[in-house]
Amino acid sequence: MKIIDIGANLTDPVFRGKYRGKQAHDDDMGHILQRARSAGVVGMMVTGGSLNESKAAVSLCRQHQGLFSTAGCHPTRSSEVNSHPGGADAYFSKLRDLIQNNRDKIVAVGECGLDYDRLHFSDKETQNRHFVRHFDLAEATGLPLFLHSRNTGDDFVRIVRENRRRFSTGVVHSFTGTAEELRDLLALDLYIGVNGCSLKTEENLAVVKLIPVDRLMIETDCPYCEIRPTHASHKLLDPAGCGDGWKTPDAKRKERWCSDCLVKGRNEPCTIRLVLQIVAKLHAISEEDLAARMFENTCQVFFSNVEHGF
C-alpha cells in the first residue's frame, strides 16, 4: 500500500516538541516520519502557508526523502502581505523566485483561498485581493493549486471559475462543504482532499460518499484535524485496526512523552490510515483499492513532472 499525505503542517513547532513557545519534550521529527512510513505513507506534501513558512517547508523537505512542499500564503495570513517591505509585488515575486529555484521540491502553489470563519486575522477584501495573486503564480510556474475554502458563500467558487483557464488543476483540501459546493468544484474539474475535519458530522459523511473516487485525495492536515470520539465517523473505525494489521500507536500527554507514542491532541501523518479506513467504508471498497486510486490521482496532479521515488 502506498499513501501520499497531501497536507501535513510539519513546520509547526509541535513536531519539534515545542508547544506555545515552551519545549515540552525532545524533537521527535524522525520518529514521526518513521511512524508514517510504517503506516504506508511514502510521500507527504508539507504545507507552506506564508513566505517564511514556505521557505521553512522547502528546507525541511531537503532533509528528508519523500517530502515535498507547497508555496503560498494562507488566507488567514494574507494581512502580512500588506506589511511586507515592497508590498504585494515584492512578496509574490519572492514566492515566485522560491518556486523557480526549487522546482524539484515545490509541487503546488498554495495554500491559498478564502477563509471567512477567521476574518479577525484577515478581512474579506484583503483575502480576496491576495488570493487572486496566486493565479499569477500558477500561470507563471505551471504548477497546480493547493486550495482552501471555509464558509465563503459564492466567493471562492466565483473567483476560481473566473480564473480557471489560468491554472492546470488543483485540490480543494480539507473539504467540509455541502453537496452543492462539491458539485460546483467538480464542475470546475478540481480534486477534493479529505481529512478528519471532513468527517465530523453525518452531513459530512453523506457528502464524502458523493466524491468520485477518481477525484479523491487524502490528508491529515496535522497537527490539526484528528478524528475524535465525538465525530460521526468515529463509529466506523474498526477497533481491531486496519485490514493489513496496522494499528494506531498508543498516545500519551506531552508531559509523559515517549519516542514510540503519539502525543495526545497532536495529529500526525500515520493517522492517515484512519481517514483511509473510514472513506473506504463510505465508498464500500477495500482500503487497498482506495489507496491505490488516490495514490494515482495524487501522482497525476502533483508529481508527474518531479522525480519522487515513490
Side-chain angles (χ1 to χ4, degrees), residues 27-36 257-261 268:
D27 179 336
D28 57 346
M29 179 66 74
H31 298 290
I32 291 164
L33 297 179
Q34 181 55 48
R35 280 193 288 273
W257 174 87
C258 66
S259 62
D260 58 352
C261 291
E268 62 177 72

Side-chain angles (χ1 to χ4, degrees), residues 120 136 163 237 248 283 290:
H120 52 288
D136 298 338
N163 292 276
L237 293 174
T248 310
H283 282 265
L290 180 60

Side-chain angles (χ1 to χ4, degrees), residues 132-148:
V132 174
R133 296 295 292 258
H134 289 82
F135 297 105
D136 298 338
L137 287 178
E139 194 167 30
T141 63
L143 289 178
L145 287 169
F146 188 81
L147 295 157
H148 173 106

Side-chain angles (χ1 to χ4, degrees), residues 75-80 117-123 126-127:
T76 62
R77 313 249 190 105
S78 55
S79 290
E80 74 174 45
D117 279 343
R118 293 178 280 182
L119 293 173
H120 52 288
F121 291 120
S122 294
D123 61 49
T126 299
Q127 289 190 32

Side-chain angles (χ1 to χ4, degrees), residues 145-156:
L145 287 169
F146 188 81
L147 295 157
H148 173 106
S149 177
R150 283 284 183 276
N151 192 27
T152 62
D154 296 329
D155 288 355
F156 177 81

Side-chain angles (χ1 to χ4, degrees), residues 112-115 147-152 156 172-174 176 181:
C112 60
L114 301 175
D115 191 321
L147 295 157
H148 173 106
S149 177
R150 283 284 183 276
N151 192 27
T152 62
F156 177 81
V172 181
H173 100 109
S174 193
T176 58
E181 289 175 280

